[in-house]
Amino acid sequence: MANSIKKIGVLTSGGDAPGMNAAIRSVVRTCAFHQIECVGIYRGYEGMIDGDFKALDARSVNHIINKGGTFLKSARSDRFRTKEGRKEAYDQLLKHAVDALVLIGGDGTFTGGMVFNEEYNFPVVGIPGTIDNDIVGTNFTLGYDTALNTVVEAIDKIRDTASSHKRLFFVEVMGRDVGHIALNAGVGSGAEEILVPEEDLGLDRLLESLEKSKHTGKSSSIVVVAEGDKTGKNVFELRDYVEENLEGYDVRVSVLGHMQRGGSPSCFDRVLASRMGVKAVETLIEGKHNVMVGTINNKLELYPIDKAVKGHSKIDEELLRVSDIMST
């Protein structure tokens, strides 16, 4: 297998995450170091079906390590979900003499790569890129650290207003299925309460917590809410419920939304992306594939893609306890 890898394709798929450009840069330059051709596949699997390929060399990726988003662009592909679409993609890879793929993305990206590998035995290696940090087999995904810093900075600014006007703010952050961003950013920003999908706080306990905070002398409060939290139907319902049942608070809602995905990647994400890109290419050179590059206790490890797709990341129970203590 080592001698058969002459050209590697790299793509980004699904939601963008800070650090994706740094990972692309690492893949391209590692290919150049090992004298392997590299092609960028634009618009993810959709671009692979269309043959939207471009040869990349070490100079093609100058000055992108500090850029957010992905210069290869990203798109979701309904066509790739069909056998016909995957056959078109495979034919394009053969046409362009691509021998293996590095896939940068999250659960959906890896699912597509897993199915493609099963059908065509085509070598793929995944690099986890998603701000939600919801991929099993790695302590950190690309973009997670940057997103946390973005959220904490935003909450710090919101707290200035909350304190000035004696307001209660519900701040909604990303996290449809997992609460990693909400929990870590909530602890890091000193939030009075944190609502995550993994722990159903309940409306009564939320009111009890806010009432307790008020009685201890807090004139303003920040409640961080993961978008997938089930305490209420949505963050606006939570606001209405608190306004109806708790006197003395002027309640506001701030939905941070897609700003969490943007921005220049942190140093941590740039370094992680660089390490993962090198590992991904050298894994393919060694003849290994259908795996994801992960980091466990700061060491790069390989993890089967099928297990990464089927697994569920768990919330940090110790940090939940820390959160409870800090909200006293």
Side-chain angles (χ1 to χ4, degrees), residues 260-276:
Q260 296 161 85
R261 282 188 182 174
S264 180
S266 65
C267 180
F268 181 90
D269 277 329
R270 299 182 199 192
V271 173
L272 182 62
S274 299
R275 294 175 66 200
M276 285 182 166

Side-chain angles (χ1 to χ4, degrees), residues 202-243:
L203 291 170
D204 291 338
R205 190 182 150 197
L206 173 61
L207 285 180
E208 180 183 331
S209 175
L210 293 174
E211 189 74 60
K212 181 180 177 182
S213 294
K214 189 168 68 170
H215 285 314
T216 58
K218 292 183 179 179
S219 60
S220 63
S221 290
I222 299 289
V223 178
V224 178
V225 185
E227 61 182 325
D229 174 68
K230 303 300 190 295
T231 304
K233 291 181 180 178
N234 56 58
V235 69
F236 297 100
E237 184 186 75
L238 286 176
R239 176 201 60 193
D240 294 342
Y241 184 84
V242 170
E243 283 186 332

Side-chain angles (χ1 to χ4, degrees), residues 35-256:
Q35 298 182 326
I36 293 173
E37 291 182 70
C38 186
V39 295
I41 302 173
Y42 285 78
R43 298 178 293 112
Y45 293 124
E46 192 74 1
M48 186 156 61
I49 293 171
D50 293 336
D52 194 359
F53 297 13
K54 181 180 179 180
L56 300 174
D57 59 25
R59 302 286 76 80
S60 301
V61 289
N62 282 347
H63 312 304
I64 68 168
I65 192 171
N66 61 318
K67 305 294 185 184
T70 163
F71 91 96
L72 288 179
K73 310 302 180 186
S74 185
R76 305 189 189 279
S77 178
D78 290 331
R79 288 191 291 166
F80 196 76
R81 297 176 185 270
T82 68
K83 285 190 174 183
E84 295 77 12
R86 293 191 293 273
K87 177 62 167 60
E88 290 182 60
Y90 180 68
D91 290 342
Q92 289 288 0
L93 292 173
L94 294 182
K95 176 182 176 181
H96 290 84
V98 177
D99 301 309
L101 290 171
V102 174
L103 313 172
I104 306 171
D107 182 79
T109 303
F110 292 164
T111 299
M114 179 184 69
V115 173
F116 194 68
N117 177 270
E118 289 172 352
E119 290 180 346
Y120 296 103
N121 194 30
F122 198 89
V124 299
V125 170
I127 293 177
T130 167
I131 68 167
D132 288 338
N133 203 43
D134 59 350
I135 302 294
V136 174
T138 185
N139 292 142
F140 300 104
T141 58
L142 296 183
Y144 175 59
D145 183 72
T146 304
L148 281 182
N149 291 326
T150 298
V151 171
V152 168
E153 182 180 357
I155 293 174
D156 286 347
K157 293 177 179 178
I158 289 170
R159 187 177 289 281
D160 291 343
T161 294
S163 299
S164 298
H165 296 276
K166 296 185 178 181
R167 285 175 178 163
L168 162 63
F169 268 88
F170 284 103
V171 181
E172 184 185 89
V173 302
M174 284 187 168
R176 184 179 58 206
D177 301 311
V178 293
H180 298 305
I181 291 177
L183 179 57
N184 283 267
V187 171
S189 62
E192 280 66 37
E193 197 59 72
I194 303 168
L195 308 182
V196 295
E198 295 88 344
E199 185 183 57
D200 187 358
L201 181 67
L203 291 170
D204 291 338
R205 190 182 150 197
L206 173 61
L207 285 180
E208 180 183 331
S209 175
L210 293 174
E211 189 74 60
K212 181 180 177 182
S213 294
K214 189 168 68 170
H215 285 314
T216 58
K218 292 183 179 179
S219 60
S220 63
S221 290
I222 299 289
V223 178
V224 178
V225 185
E227 61 182 325
D229 174 68
K230 303 300 190 295
T231 304
K233 291 181 180 178
N234 56 58
V235 69
F236 297 100
E237 184 186 75
L238 286 176
R239 176 201 60 193
D240 294 342
Y241 184 84
V242 170
E243 283 186 332
E244 291 170 4
N245 293 276
L246 188 64
E247 294 182 357
Y249 274 121
D250 183 10
V251 188
R252 294 288 188 273
V253 170
S254 181
V255 178
L256 299 188

Side-chain angles (χ1 to χ4, degrees), residues 8 22-23 25-31 33-34 101-103 124-128 271-289 291-296 298-303:
I8 291 175
R25 173 181 179 269
S26 179
V27 169
V28 173
R29 292 197 169 177
T30 306
C31 285
F33 179 83
H34 289 286
L101 290 171
V102 174
L103 313 172
V124 299
V125 170
I127 293 177
V271 173
L272 182 62
S274 299
R275 294 175 66 200
M276 285 182 166
V278 171
K279 184 69 172 178
V281 172
E282 294 185 343
T283 295
L284 288 169
I285 292 173
E286 292 167 4
K288 302 171 186 175
H289 59 89
V291 293
M292 177 195 78
V293 178
T295 174
I296 303 295
N298 204 36
K299 287 186 63 178
L300 292 182
E301 304 284 354
L302 299 179
Y303 194 78

